[in-house]
């Protein structure tokens, strides 16, 4: 999922001055590079620390409620932690320096892990939406439907699909995977596996199927909350109770808007470019591709926090854990 920032108007040199087959390097002004390092490092720290906090809270929480949801969020936070701790740092160096200095073998490993983790995260979000749908529309059957076995199956499917698809596109080594034919054999490049026509099939499996499920699930929950709020406001004679229920409906609506809005904001621009680019002859600037990929990475920072921090018991548990940590320090 990584695309170099080549093709800029800034001064160009080589990734390796002593190699004739070195890839070209774009050298950005020092203040700009330092600003990017500060920005990306902040994103990495927030992603790692946020997902780590969610992981510890869920591991040490004794709350028996929402067990299936907690397991899904826990697994999602592990994927987010790995994205922040393993994928982002190397992508940061490659994006800013416009060269890959970690070797071709690690390039393939890094790209594979990138695809696996992002794909697994997407399907975790999908199954969380399914879990919430069942909890809202079938509350009496929720415990029977969302058993520990069901939760394990959802988590296993999310990771399994990510692994199968990630390794499949790397092992197949498709001829269309490199946007710039020149960089196929130069040293210092590590480029996207979904930069040409393969991106259309990848986008359908990786994005559009999950997003249809998520929008359908949360859309129905959204309209149910709206309808419940209107009915309560119309027929409830107790103004205090009516206002309270309307407030709950409004809070649910806002929560769903944040969940779906963040998801669409992070991933939609990149996949739209990924599909449009082959149609217009791969003329989309690589700098735009790289920027949108980092916006997609932000979902690893936002998603577990959005789901977790809307539970009051999570906030209380986090405060207890953090207070104990600081007291020991």
């Amino acid at each position: 999922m990584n695309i170099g920032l080549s093709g800029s108007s800034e001064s160009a040199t080589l990734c390796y001055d002593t190699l004739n087959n070195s890839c070209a390097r774009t050298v950005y002004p020092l203040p700009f590079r330092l600003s990017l390092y500060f920005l990306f490092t902040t994103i990495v720290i927030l992603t790692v620390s946020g997902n780590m906090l969610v992981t510890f809270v869920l591991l040490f929480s004794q709350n028996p409620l929402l067990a299936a949801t907690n397991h899904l969020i826990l697994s999602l936070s592990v994927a987010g932690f790995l994205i922040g701790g393993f994928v982002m740092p190397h992508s940061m160096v490659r994006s800013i320096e416009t060269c890959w200095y970690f070797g071709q073998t690690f390039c393939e490993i890094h790209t594979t892990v990138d695809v696996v983790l992002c794909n697994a995260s997407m399907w975790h979000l999908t199954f969380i939406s399914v879990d919430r749908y069942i909890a809202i529309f079938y509350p009496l059957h929720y415990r029977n439907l969302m058993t520990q076995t069901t939760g394990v199956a959802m988590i296993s499917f999310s990771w399994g699909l990510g692994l199968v698809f990630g390794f499949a596109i790397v092992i197949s080594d498709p001829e269309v995977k490199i946007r710039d034919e020149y960089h196929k054999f130069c040293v210092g490049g590590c480029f996207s596996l979904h930069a040409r026509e393969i991106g259309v099939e990848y986008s359908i499996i990786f994005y559009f199927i999950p997003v249809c499920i998520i929008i359908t699930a949360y859309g129905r929950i959204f309209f149910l909350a709206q309808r419940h709020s209107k009915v309560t406001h119309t027929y409830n004679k107790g103004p205090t109770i009516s206002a309270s229920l309307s407030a709950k409906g409004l809070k649910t609506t806002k929560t769903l808007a944040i969940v779906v809005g963040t998801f669409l904001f992070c991933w939609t621009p990149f996949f739209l470019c990924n599909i449009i680019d082959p149609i217009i002859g791969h003329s989309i600037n690589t700098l735009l591709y790289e920027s949108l990929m980092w916006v997609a990475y932000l979902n690893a920072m936002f998603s577990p926090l959005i789901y977790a921090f809307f539970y009051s018991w999570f906030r209380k548990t986090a405060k207890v854990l953090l207070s104990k940590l600081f007291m020991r320090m």
Side-chain angles (χ1 to χ4, degrees):
M1 290 188 152
N2 302 311
I3 307 165
L5 295 177
S6 57
S8 173
S9 60
E10 300 292 339
S11 59
T13 181
L14 297 177
C15 296
Y16 298 93
D17 294 332
T18 59
L19 297 178
N20 293 330
N21 61 338
S22 172
C23 296
R25 178 193 176 196
T26 301
V27 182
Y28 296 105
L30 182 60
F32 180 64
R33 291 166 61 198
L34 293 177
S35 299
L36 287 179
Y37 272 118
F38 176 78
L39 174 63
F40 290 159
T41 301
T42 302
I43 293 173
V44 170
I45 293 174
L46 291 176
T47 302
V48 172
S49 60
N51 284 280
M52 186 182 297
L53 176 62
V54 173
T55 301
F56 280 122
V57 168
L58 293 178
L59 285 176
F60 290 100
S61 174
Q62 302 298 320
N63 194 321
L65 301 177
L66 300 172
T69 306
N70 289 350
H71 293 157
L72 284 167
I73 297 176
L74 175 61
S75 184
L76 175 63
S77 66
V78 171
F81 173 81
L82 293 174
I83 290 175
F86 181 83
V87 175
M88 287 186 181
H90 302 92
S91 296
M92 172 181 65
V93 175
R94 196 269 336 285
S95 296
I96 299 174
E97 302 299 334
T98 69
C99 290
W100 180 261
Y101 293 116
F102 308 103
Q104 184 59 33
T105 301
F106 190 74
C107 168
E108 296 181 3
I109 295 174
H110 180 269
T111 304
T112 303
V113 174
D114 189 353
V115 174
V116 169
L117 292 177
C118 289
N119 202 338
S121 297
M122 187 75 72
W123 282 102
H124 275 84
L125 293 170
T126 304
F127 282 120
I128 290 174
S129 70
V130 173
D131 171 79
R132 292 296 83 211
Y133 179 86
I134 295 175
I136 296 298
F137 283 91
Y138 305 98
L140 298 179
H141 304 285
Y142 178 77
R143 290 184 178 274
N144 294 327
L145 293 173
M146 293 302 299
T147 62
Q148 184 175 358
T149 302
T150 305
V152 171
M154 288 180 170
I155 294 172
S156 300
F157 182 86
S158 300
W159 285 105
L161 187 61
L163 287 168
V164 169
F165 194 72
F167 280 101
I169 62 175
V170 172
I171 294 174
S172 63
D173 192 27
E175 291 295 325
V176 295
K177 73 177 182 180
I178 303 299
R179 298 182 73 245
D180 188 346
E181 296 296 325
Y182 166 75
H183 289 91
K184 275 192 174 183
F185 306 105
C186 66
V187 180
C190 183
F191 296 88
S192 172
L193 289 176
H194 53 258
R196 282 196 172 183
E197 286 80 0
I198 191 174
V200 177
E201 293 82 3
Y202 177 68
S203 298
I204 292 174
I205 298 174
F206 181 68
Y207 178 73
F208 286 102
I209 292 178
V211 81
C212 287
I213 298 174
I214 291 173
I215 290 179
T216 300
Y218 283 128
R220 291 204 62 189
I221 297 174
F222 174 86
F223 287 116
L224 178 64
Q226 291 288 81
R227 185 168 64 250
H228 181 271
S229 179
K230 291 180 181 179
V231 171
T232 302
H233 179 74
T234 302
Y235 294 101
N236 199 303
K237 296 182 180 181
T240 303
I241 299 176
S242 177
S244 176
L245 291 174
S246 297
K248 290 182 179 179
L250 181 60
K251 182 179 180 181
T252 301
T253 301
K254 289 181 178 180
T255 302
L256 296 176
I258 293 174
V259 169
V260 178
T262 302
F263 174 82
L264 295 177
F265 170 80
C266 290
W267 283 106
T268 301
F270 174 78
F271 279 106
L272 286 179
C273 280
N274 212 25
I275 290 179
I276 294 173
D277 195 30
I279 299 175
I280 60 178
H282 305 287
S283 58
I284 294 180
N285 189 281
T286 52
L287 177 60
L288 177 60
Y289 252 117
E290 184 78 8
S291 301
L292 294 180
M293 191 63 252
W294 273 96
V295 173
Y297 279 150
L298 290 178
N299 198 58
M301 180 179 69
F302 291 139
S303 58
L305 301 180
I306 292 174
Y307 286 103
F309 280 102
F310 275 102
Y311 297 122
S312 59
W313 64 265
F314 177 89
R315 294 192 295 271
K316 294 177 181 178
T317 305
K319 289 179 180 178
V320 172
L321 289 176
L322 291 175
S323 62
K324 288 182 178 180
L325 176 64
F326 286 114
M327 286 178 63
R328 292 180 179 179
M329 296 175 60

